[in-house]
Amino acid sequence: MAEAKTKPTRDSVAAFLAKIPEAKRREDCKAVAKLMTEVTGEKPEMWGSAIVGFGRHRYKYDNGREGEWPVSGFSPRKSELTLYIMAGFEHFPDVMKRLGKYRTGKACLYIKKLEDIDMKVLKELVTKSVAKMADK
């Protein structure tokens, strides 16, 4: 069975964030890192070369494949900031209505800039997602 490509590394999160070329994106990432540290109670760690993750969640698919992924995390992609909300969004429709301007994938929240969303609502979303993941 294929092994997961994205794994925790010993690379420095602070060094990774410092290398983000756009100052605004760098500050947004620092704010998200602070929020996720507060919510999860976990220190950030690099997953692969471009994901900052918080905590660890083991999963197992019906086909028997197992893996590990952060409970929550983010990545400063080129056009959008990607947040990993591992519980998904279908459990939190009321929160999503209040969040602001964004788009989603299965467990990815895509944000152009933090000013587009309500940070208190984002904290609520991350908190509820982390709690839901703890129940799994």
Side-chain angles (χ1 to χ4, degrees):
M1 213 170 278
E3 196 172 317
K5 294 178 185 178
T6 305
K7 298 178 183 179
T9 71
R10 294 182 181 265
D11 294 344
S12 166
V13 171
F16 170 72
L17 295 177
K19 290 180 188 174
I20 298 170
E22 185 184 324
K24 180 65 181 118
R25 178 64 50 90
R26 190 170 47 251
E27 292 308 311
D28 284 356
C29 287
K30 288 178 182 179
V32 170
K34 182 179 180 203
L35 181 148
M36 289 187 173
T37 298
E38 289 172 6
V39 170
T40 65
E42 301 281 349
K43 291 182 179 180
E45 64 181 333
M46 292 301 302
W47 284 70
S49 62
I51 296 172
V52 179
F54 299 82
R56 295 184 182 195
H57 170 72
R58 295 239 14 114
Y59 60 86
K60 185 174 184 177
Y61 292 116
D62 291 339
N63 67 5
R65 181 173 174 238
E66 295 183 52
E68 189 172 52
W69 192 255
V71 172
S72 196
F74 69 91
S75 184
R77 304 293 184 197
K78 186 171 181 145
S79 63
E80 296 169 306
L81 177 57
T82 303
L83 280 67
Y84 299 99
I85 308 297
M86 299 313 300
F89 306 102
E90 67 275 4
H91 307 291
F92 319 113
D94 59 318
V95 177
M96 300 309 292
K97 287 178 188 172
R98 296 181 282 120
L99 185 57
K101 186 177 174 183
Y102 63 87
R103 67 183 186 90
T104 62
K106 183 173 173 109
C108 295
L109 179 69
Y110 302 102
I111 301 168
K112 294 281 185 191
K113 54 188 187 279
L114 284 187
E115 288 82 24
D116 290 342
I117 60 162
D118 185 318
M119 288 298 286
K120 288 180 185 176
V121 177
L122 178 61
K123 187 172 186 175
E124 179 183 352
L125 175 63
V126 174
T127 300
K128 288 183 174 190
S129 175
V130 169
K132 188 89 172 157
M133 293 302 293
D135 289 344
K136 287 188 173 188

